Amino acid sequence: MSGKSKLTRAAALIAAALMTFSAASCGSNNEAPASADTSDTTTTAETKAPEESTTKAATTTTIKITTTTTTLAPLPVLEDYQEWVDKNDDIKGWIKVGGTPIDYPCVQGTDNSYYLEHDYEKNEIRNGACFIDYLCEFTTRTRPANIIIYGHNMRTGPSFAKLTTYCPWYYTGYNRSGTGFSISQYTENPTVTFNTVWEEGTYKVFAAMFVNTMEEHGDVFRYYRQRTITSEYEFYNYIANILDRSQFYTDVDLQYGDELLTLSTCYYPLGNNVDTRFVLFARRVREGESPEVDVSKATINYDPLYFKYWYRVYGGSWGGRTWDTSKIKGLDEYMKAHPDQEIGTLTPAQ
């Protein structure tokens, strides 16, 4: 789709969103301001927890660069995106997820608040925009180790609502027997596209999780703080925390040095008073690697690690890790060499 046709399509979605809203409203927590006018039927994005990172900027300034370096001449903006950047130089990329309406520009502001209620043209609107965490650092030739993108969960306008179709119990609701669970959205769409305005990129989905954001509901896995990855331990620990909680397992392997993509949205199957998120994880197709994925090896995880409030409602407890550790290259060797280090604890991302 050309940049011009994408612009026309997105403008139509924004116009429609101005006329109607529907979904539940995100609750607040103690890590950032609550969304305005929660009596409205609009669902806001995952915005509270990331905002607290403003107090931790000193610990998140190191970025992992790609094999290209900033000593090379800056890359020009791709032709498809020049019109968008001319309208707003906060536009840093484009996200597209097959099998969903997600096909939108991604902006990045100077905080994680502005684009909650402003669109990609900076018009004030309750729908907001899909936005990249403001502490993820880009240049034309470098990318963050983990690109984190937030989007509203709304039934109208640009949003990440349909990310939740990757959840095995999206269509049936959760039940302990797993009856009716499906990962057809994954098997039909195992990759997502995120292009920066300078480079194209394909990412292989490897996990999706449902997590709480408030400590009163159980231990909080603050996945949004891992914008940088500066050591093998950070990588292994972060991925293990994700896979322990993943709703499904895939044939996608991972290794230290992989670039990650994290897509986050609100999701409230436990009610508006239990602030929760659905998060999709993918890793960038490596240089020279085929983008193809063997989806026949994907399986539903019927016992992911949830949180205290979940088990209070549904009973039971986590049965322990069942994913194949060999899918993370080097992990088994690392654990043998470092028996004193727990992999899958909440630190340092807690």
Side-chain angles (χ1 to χ4, degrees):
M1 183 181 294
S2 69
K4 185 175 182 180
S5 61
K6 284 178 177 177
L7 181 59
T8 302
R9 178 178 179 275
L13 287 171
I14 293 294
L18 284 168
M19 296 184 291
T20 180
F21 300 89
S22 60
S25 172
C26 278
S28 64
N29 62 40
N30 60 3
E31 298 189 274
S35 58
D37 187 15
T38 57
S39 62
D40 187 284
T41 56
T42 303
T43 298
T44 58
E46 154 48 40
T47 58
K48 297 87 176 174
E51 190 65 27
E52 56 75 39
S53 62
T54 56
T55 63
K56 298 181 179 293
T59 65
T60 57
T61 54
T62 303
I63 64 170
K64 179 179 74 64
I65 61 173
T66 58
T67 53
T68 54
T69 72
T70 53
T71 60
L72 300 175
L75 292 173
V77 173
L78 296 171
E79 183 179 357
D80 275 355
Y81 303 125
Q82 187 63 63
E83 183 178 359
W84 294 85
V85 175
D86 289 344
K87 295 178 75 68
N88 181 2
D89 60 9
D90 281 350
I91 294 176
K92 292 296 189 293
W94 196 283
I95 184 70
K96 183 175 182 179
V97 180
T100 78
I102 299 170
D103 190 4
Y104 310 130
C106 296
V107 289
Q108 185 180 40
T110 57
D111 56 39
N112 281 342
S113 298
Y114 181 79
Y115 282 108
L116 284 174
E117 296 185 348
H118 291 81
D119 66 14
Y120 62 88
E121 292 184 303
K122 298 188 176 182
N123 299 310
E124 189 169 354
I125 180 173
R126 287 295 300 275
N127 282 55
C130 299
F131 63 95
I132 302 166
D133 191 292
Y134 80 108
L135 287 177
C136 290
E137 300 184 31
F138 290 88
T139 73
T140 69
R141 290 189 178 272
T142 65
R143 295 178 295 271
N146 187 11
I147 299 171
I148 304 172
I149 307 177
Y150 306 102
H152 293 280
N153 184 340
M154 305 174 72
R155 295 175 187 170
T156 60
S159 80
F160 274 1
K162 293 303 182 179
L163 275 185
T164 55
T165 58
Y166 279 91
C167 182
W169 33 272
Y170 173 79
Y171 291 104
T172 62
Y174 180 78
N175 61 82
R176 291 193 62 80
S177 69
T179 305
F181 285 16
S182 171
I183 51 171
S184 60
Q185 170 60 19
Y186 170 75
T187 57
E188 294 169 12
N189 301 280
T191 64
V192 300
T193 299
F194 175 71
N195 299 334
T196 68
V197 295
W198 310 285
E199 295 180 291
E200 296 180 342
T202 299
Y203 293 76
K204 296 184 177 184
V205 173
F206 67 87
M209 67 182 187
F210 174 66
V211 292
N212 58 310
T213 68
M214 302 174 67
E215 291 184 358
E216 66 187 82
H217 299 135
D219 291 339
V220 177
F221 174 40
R222 294 180 171 87
Y223 58 92
Y224 45 81
R225 288 188 183 173
Q226 199 76 64
R227 305 169 188 87
T228 65
I229 296 173
T230 59
S231 68
E232 285 184 280
Y233 173 73
E234 280 192 13
F235 179 79
Y236 294 143
N237 189 62
Y238 186 60
I239 298 299
N241 268 301
I242 292 168
L243 292 180
D244 284 348
R245 294 165 173 79
S246 185
Q247 295 285 323
F248 52 78
Y249 300 140
T250 76
D251 192 46
V252 177
D253 67 309
L254 295 107
Q255 64 186 30
Y256 177 54
D258 281 339
E259 296 178 56
L260 306 179
L261 178 68
T262 300
L263 308 179
S264 175
T265 193
C266 293
Y267 193 34
Y268 292 139
L270 292 171
N272 292 355
N273 293 328
V274 185
D275 199 41
T276 46
R277 303 289 179 268
F278 187 79
V279 193
L280 192 71
F281 297 91
R283 63 113 170 128
R284 189 178 177 91
V285 173
R286 303 169 191 135
E287 187 174 356
E289 179 189 24
S290 169
E292 298 300 315
V293 178
D294 185 355
V295 296
S296 69
K297 296 181 179 179
T299 59
I300 296 173
N301 178 14
Y302 290 98
D303 185 25
L305 174 59
Y306 287 115
F307 44 93
K308 181 174 63 177
Y309 188 88
W310 176 275
Y311 295 117
R312 187 185 307 163
V313 172
Y314 291 106
S317 60
W318 186 42
R321 182 172 297 168
T322 57
W323 49 271
D324 182 359
T325 57
S326 70
K327 285 297 179 183
I328 306 179
K329 295 181 178 180
L331 174 59
D332 290 338
E333 293 78 5
Y334 184 89
M335 290 193 297
K336 289 178 182 177
H338 302 84
D340 57 325
Q341 291 185 357
E342 288 188 65
I343 300 295
T345 63
L346 291 175
T347 55
Q350 68 181 5

